[in-house]
Amino acid sequence: MKKSFILLFLSLTLFSYQEKVAAQTLNVSTAQELQEAIAKAKAGNEIVLKNGIWKDIQIKFYGEGTADKPIILRAETPGKVSIEGVSNLKLGGKYLVVRDLHFKNGYTPSNSVIQFKINEDSIANHSRITNCVIDEFTQPNREVSDHWIEFWGRNNQLDHSSIVGKSNFGPTVRVFLKGNEHVNNHHQIVYNHFGPRPRKGGPHGETLQIGSSHTSMTPSYTNVSNNFFDRCNGEVEIISNKSNFNEYRNNIFFESEGSLVLRHGNYCTIDGNVFIGNDDSEFIGGIRVINTGHWITNNYFYKIKGNEFRSALAVMNGIPKSPLNRYNQVTDVVVAYNTYIDCKSPFQFGVGTNIDKKEVLPASEIRSARPERMLLANNLVFNHEKEEYPIVNYDDVGGVTFKRNVLNNQNKSGVSSEGISTEDFSVNKLSENLYVPANSLEDVYHGFDFETIKTDFFGADRTQHNSIGAMIVPVNGNPLLIKKEIYGATWFSLAAPNATPKTMQVSSSRALQSKLKSAHSGDIIALKGGVYKISTSLLIDKNITITSADKNRRAEIRFTSEKPGFIMLPKGELHLDNISLKGNKTQDAIATLDKNMSKAFNLYIKNTEISSFKSVIKAYKASFADTILIEGSTIKDCLTGILLNTEIDAKGDYNAEFVTITNSTFDHIASSVLNYYRGGYDESTIGGNLVLKNNTFTNSGQADESGLLIQNHGIVNVIFSDNTFRDNPVKEIAILWGEKGQKPVNNVTENSGEIRIEQNLKQKLMY
């Protein structure tokens, strides 16, 4: 009897528990069921989305959870629920958690993909997005602006999520402080993997923006810690700080072409971060300093080769009585206990000074306010190769105090001080990219409030044993700089499957078109000798190489319709090698789509002849090439050349990042050979790169109204050397921008006009 009673009791208890669990878990498989589940969810409930594709769904997730019993919206299986099409997610209420979702193959119909606000009356607080992925969820038109994640309210968190591939306008993540309910917010942005974010070819490509110029004097207290910024190349500001009292701790900035920028706002802490560059790029930066009261401590910089805005430590000049949206003077900033290994001129002061531009800029834009009451102390600079100019000063640095900064090379900079000393010391390599001194440099400077710097980069106690630089030696344990497994969603990987490229030989026009459609990215199409007549456009939406099967017998593709020969689609990459393209002067040889170029394309032309086209390359508005390379090729008998000139709004945008033309011949191009344009006075991007080297230009340019053979208006980085210009009936070959260091080198000109240098280029202000 007693045993039966116990069994009955256990059965009832188990049934009650199962009933309770069932009541707490709301399984949904349709948009209607999801809406109903959200409407009735209570504290402690879980709403579980069935595995599969949820397309064209705008989710409004609201409710009132508690700290102990949040309301959770999650995938049935992490990573197996994809939000696709025209979709987004908005949160409103308290203690809401979203996890395990994958946003891909679509874009948001609103200003954001995920937003901690439904409307002004329904704002999220104490809510969390975790273990989620947003993967290339970008607008079809790159010029449409959005944010992938918008923070509103207070005490919200983004963690362990992967945010990858934003190519359209707008910061990836933005924190808003418009109104008292959004200030003093204490948001947490931690353990995420940001990037890669591709180059964008214009401004408004930040990865994080915290605040705005209009709310920049507002306290935010946002914490950005332990994140991995992986090749975030959208623009010069990877992080744009625009509010007060934020903290940036223990983040990794890996080969990202930009900087952590204290653009507006004051009293930020930048501690324990890593900035890793390489030998191949001069656009990877560190920290740029503007405004008041920041403490920059325990940071590690490796192979940062950037200059001015992208230097390891860039300290800007301000504008006297600056408006909120410009540049305030640097005052009361401390830079202490940082390590710089193999960095080029790591300390750069007076960055952005432009007193010499009074002729082309209004007085309100002249940056003449130098840093005041700034302290650099206990910093360590080591270079394996001789680097005798650790400091670049574009203006007077009398307001900067130097104390106990130690170099391993002689300081021949224009700035010297007893606080900058050269000592004989060595470093040991502990792990990839990580070097520390072989011995402690213990004679540190004890500045005001330095006792608050209690630990080093690895958390070792500075109060017991101290040393110059970011790390106290000896370093204990296995000191890895990057532990990729701790960042981002646990179930998501950026690693692409290893596919072996296939070479497919073709001998007919029909086979060429068929193989191009069926080929996989990376494949090679080898054309047997002969002429391939094509009456339609060949679409390039993958990485494809077209070459001649016999290097000694160049195949010819002859385009016969008025349609472009090749049309570049988003993410298309075309390699033309040792072939001939021929038109009838009614079509463009290579063109982009005229709209919806959501992502960049790439173009590589080597040992190829292109003749008899209306234009050689035509980029439509909002299209963007990361790289266009022409090498060892002949281009002749075309009406015009390379057209990268459709971003004419003077907003800092341009159609290609890297344009390299070497060892090539241009003959009988009726109009300009190249029109590569960037308009608007903007400093937030690389600004375009043109390499024009060892080429020959003949009998070209007579039909262009500009009188210019090569137009490169507003392009910042130009190498113009070892070219020959012969019998080109133009007024000028090119106009180079002197302020940017552009100059012609070893060019030969005969009956072709002149190459002119304009020191200060007049550009339209963008603000």
Side-chain angles (χ1 to χ4, degrees):
M1 183 74 178
K2 184 177 180 181
K3 185 177 181 180
S4 299
F5 175 78
I6 292 172
L7 289 172
L8 177 61
F9 174 77
L10 290 174
S11 299
L12 290 172
T13 301
L14 179 61
F15 178 78
S16 175
Y17 172 76
Q18 291 174 335
E19 188 177 49
K20 184 177 180 181
V21 169
Q24 290 179 337
T25 303
L26 307 173
N27 296 294
V28 297
S29 57
T30 68
Q32 180 65 31
E33 290 177 358
L34 173 59
Q35 181 179 335
E36 293 171 355
I38 292 172
K40 66 182 182 182
K42 305 296 182 184
N45 285 172
E46 279 194 352
I47 302 169
V48 180
L49 298 176
K50 183 180 179 181
N51 290 347
I53 297 173
W54 294 67
K55 191 170 183 180
D56 297 333
I57 184 168
Q58 286 91 58
I59 303 172
K60 293 181 180 179
F61 179 33
Y62 57 90
E64 297 289 325
T66 66
D68 295 333
K69 295 181 178 180
I71 302 174
I72 297 173
L73 174 66
R74 66 172 178 87
E76 179 183 358
T77 305
K80 297 298 184 181
V81 170
S82 61
I83 311 296
E84 303 188 17
V86 184
S87 301
N88 61 12
L89 167 65
K90 297 181 179 182
L91 294 81
K94 295 179 181 177
Y95 296 103
L96 307 175
V97 176
V98 177
R99 69 173 193 246
D100 309 333
L101 305 183
H102 191 181
F103 290 82
K104 65 178 184 178
N105 299 329
Y107 61 94
T108 177
S110 62
N111 292 331
S112 56
V113 179
I114 298 175
Q115 181 174 291
F116 286 93
K117 182 178 77 167
I118 294 176
N119 53 47
E120 296 300 328
D121 298 320
S122 183
I123 298 166
N125 294 289
H126 300 283
S127 294
R128 180 185 180 196
I129 304 294
T130 184
N131 209 35
C132 290
V133 172
I134 307 179
D135 180 11
E136 295 190 2
F137 207 72
T138 200
Q139 296 287 339
N141 182 349
R142 292 175 63 253
E143 293 186 323
V144 173
S145 181
D146 65 18
H147 313 116
W148 280 4
I149 300 171
E150 285 189 4
F151 277 86
W152 298 83
R154 291 181 173 179
N155 299 296
N156 294 315
Q157 179 165 314
L158 171 70
D159 68 273
H160 295 94
S161 293
S162 301
I163 316 296
V164 179
K166 190 175 194 292
S167 58
N168 65 305
F169 278 46
T172 307
V173 177
R174 184 163 176 189
V175 176
F176 284 88
L177 295 98
K178 297 179 179 179
N180 288 335
E181 63 271 44
H182 309 294
V183 304
N184 295 304
N185 54 65
H186 297 276
H187 295 315
Q188 303 293 311
I189 301 173
V190 294
Y191 291 101
N192 301 291
H193 187 157
F194 292 106
R197 176 159 187 173
R199 301 180 184 105
K200 191 183 140 296
H204 312 299
E206 305 93 337
T207 297
L208 264 64
Q209 180 179 326
I210 301 177
S212 69
S213 58
H214 300 294
T215 60
S216 58
M217 295 298 106
T218 303
S220 182
Y221 292 100
T222 295
N223 174 43
V224 180
S225 296
N226 297 290
N227 300 286
F228 184 31
F229 294 89
D230 181 9
R231 291 161 289 165
C232 292
N233 299 336
E235 63 148 76
V236 72
E237 300 185 18
I238 303 166
I239 295 179
S240 185
N241 180 87
K242 295 187 176 182
S243 49
N244 293 341
F245 304 112
N246 298 314
E247 295 191 2
Y248 304 95
R249 296 183 184 272
N250 308 320
N251 300 288
I252 308 290
F253 297 85
F254 178 76
E255 296 185 353
S256 293
E257 293 179 341
S259 301
L260 192 170
V261 180
L262 301 166
R263 182 64 181 86
H264 300 304
N266 308 303
Y267 304 107
C268 291
T269 299
I270 304 94
D271 182 82
N273 301 282
V274 174
F275 299 83
I276 297 177
N278 57 44
D279 291 322
D280 300 324
S281 176
E282 296 182 354
F283 303 116
I284 298 169
I287 298 171
R288 179 152 55 102
V289 184
I290 309 150
N291 298 292
T292 293
H294 310 299
W295 279 61
I296 301 170
T297 55
N298 291 323
N299 301 287
Y300 179 83
F301 303 80
Y302 179 65
K303 285 193 175 182
I304 304 301
K305 309 289 188 179
N307 194 34
E308 296 189 58
F309 278 42
R310 299 170 192 266
S311 53
L313 179 71
V315 182
M316 290 198 66
N317 268 16
I319 297 171
K321 299 180 181 179
S322 174
L324 284 175
N325 68 333
R326 303 311 299 128
Y327 292 88
N328 282 314
Q329 185 179 23
V330 174
T331 61
D332 304 294
V333 168
V334 173
V335 179
Y337 293 112
N338 302 285
T339 293
Y340 303 83
I341 303 292
D342 293 332
C343 295
K344 181 180 178 181
S345 299
F347 305 135
Q348 301 200 14
F349 297 95
V351 170
T353 184
N354 55 4
I355 299 171
D356 62 339
K357 301 183 184 63
K358 291 181 179 179
E359 294 181 3
V360 296
L361 290 175
S364 61
E365 283 298 313
I366 301 302
R367 298 189 283 252
S368 59
R370 304 171 181 120
E372 292 287 347
R373 302 183 303 279
M374 183 174 186
L375 174 63
L376 262 73
N378 302 329
N379 298 292
L380 186 74
V381 179
F382 182 92
N383 287 82
H384 287 90
E385 297 182 5
K386 187 176 290 186
E387 171 57 65
E388 296 178 329
Y389 297 90
I391 299 175
V392 175
N393 58 309
Y394 301 95
D395 203 344
D396 184 82
V397 295
V400 181
T401 299
F402 299 92
K403 294 289 185 181
R404 199 67 182 107
N405 300 283
V406 178
L407 327 173
N408 77 310
N409 287 305
Q410 185 179 0
N411 174 26
K412 293 184 179 180
S413 304
V415 175
S416 61
S417 165
E418 291 182 356
I420 306 170
S421 62
T422 300
E423 299 184 16
D424 185 15
F425 68 95
S426 61
V427 296
N428 294 328
K429 184 175 182 179
L430 299 189
S431 60
E432 186 176 9
N433 303 322
L434 175 58
Y435 294 81
V436 301
N439 299 293
S440 291
L441 300 168
E442 298 179 353
D443 185 17
V444 301
Y445 171 73
H446 299 282
F448 179 77
D449 261 357
F450 273 35
E451 68 275 8
T452 63
I453 311 173
K454 295 181 178 180
T455 58
D456 77 341
F457 177 89
F458 285 114
D461 189 351
R462 286 195 183 274
T463 64
Q464 299 298 316
H465 172 62
N466 209 352
S467 181
I468 288 169
M471 296 101 171
I472 300 169
V473 293
V475 175
N476 296 322
N478 184 21
L480 296 176
L481 284 180
I482 303 176
K483 299 177 181 178
K484 292 185 179 180
E485 65 275 9
I486 70 174
Y487 306 107
T490 55
W491 49 267
F492 180 75
S493 174
L494 282 170
N498 291 324
T500 302
K502 295 180 180 179
T503 298
M504 300 169 286
Q505 291 202 0
V506 301
S507 57
S508 69
S509 300
R510 180 176 294 179
L512 168 58
Q513 295 176 75
S514 174
K515 292 296 185 183
L516 186 58
K517 289 180 181 179
S518 63
H520 295 96
S521 192
D523 285 352
I524 300 167
I525 297 176
L527 305 180
K528 293 184 178 180
V531 176
Y532 296 76
K533 292 184 179 180
I534 303 294
S535 60
T536 188
S537 296
L538 300 178
L539 305 182
I540 306 298
D541 60 355
K542 67 199 85 171
N543 179 358
I544 202 78
T545 297
I546 301 177
T547 187
S548 295
D550 184 349
K551 292 184 178 180
N552 298 315
R553 189 182 176 198
R554 181 180 284 173
E556 177 184 302
I557 302 176
R558 186 177 298 171
F559 295 100
T560 59
S561 77
E562 295 183 1
K563 299 177 182 179
F566 293 96
I567 295 182
M568 304 301 299
L569 275 65
K571 298 185 76 173
E573 182 170 314
L574 175 62
H575 298 253
L576 300 174
D577 189 4
N578 194 35
I579 64 168
S580 175
L581 304 182
K582 192 168 186 177
N584 56 22
K585 294 191 177 181
T586 66
Q587 68 278 92
D588 306 308
I590 303 167
T592 67
L593 292 175
D594 60 358
K595 59 183 178 180
N596 292 342
M597 282 296 290
S598 59
K599 301 174 182 69
F601 69 96
N602 292 291
L603 182 60
Y604 300 86
I605 301 171
K606 297 182 179 181
N607 307 311
T608 289
E609 181 177 294
I610 301 176
S611 63
S612 302
F613 286 95
K614 185 169 65 175
S615 75
V616 179
I617 301 171
K618 184 175 183 178
Y620 282 91
K621 185 170 175 57
S623 67
F624 178 69
D626 187 273
T627 300
I628 294 176
L629 182 145
I630 301 174
E631 180 181 319
S633 296
T634 299
I635 298 173
K636 63 182 183 179
D637 299 324
C638 294
L639 298 181
T640 192
I642 300 164
L643 300 176
L644 307 171
N645 63 337
T646 55
E647 296 295 351
I648 59 174
D649 297 335
K651 294 182 179 179
D653 302 301
Y654 45 101
N655 288 116
E657 194 66 76
F658 296 95
V659 179
T660 301
I661 305 172
T662 59
N663 303 304
S664 295
T665 299
F666 294 80
D667 182 52
H668 283 93
I669 309 300
S671 192
S672 289
V673 170
L674 170 67
N675 194 335
Y676 182 18
Y677 180 85
R678 183 185 73 102
Y681 187 80
D682 169 62
E683 298 167 310
S684 64
T685 60
I686 292 173
N689 294 263
L690 172 62
V691 175
L692 207 68
K693 188 172 183 178
N694 202 33
N695 305 290
T696 299
F697 303 85
T698 55
N699 304 303
S700 297
Q702 68 270 21
D704 199 282
E705 295 179 358
S706 72
L708 281 167
L709 183 67
I710 295 165
Q711 301 182 54
N712 56 288
H713 180 93
I715 302 304
V716 172
N717 308 285
V718 174
I719 295 174
F720 202 101
S721 67
D722 303 297
N723 302 290
T724 297
F725 301 90
R726 185 178 292 116
D727 297 327
N728 298 292
V730 294
K731 182 180 178 180
E732 293 175 313
I733 293 171
I735 300 172
L736 302 183
W737 194 351
E739 178 198 343
K740 303 300 182 184
Q742 299 174 14
K743 57 183 179 181
V745 178
N746 296 330
N747 298 286
V748 176
T749 62
E750 298 177 6
N751 192 29
S752 295
E754 64 174 353
I755 304 171
R756 178 161 61 90
I757 297 177
E758 185 172 320
Q759 184 61 27
N760 292 321
L761 187 69
K762 293 182 179 180
Q763 290 275 62
K764 182 180 177 181
L765 290 176
M766 297 168 52
Y767 25 78

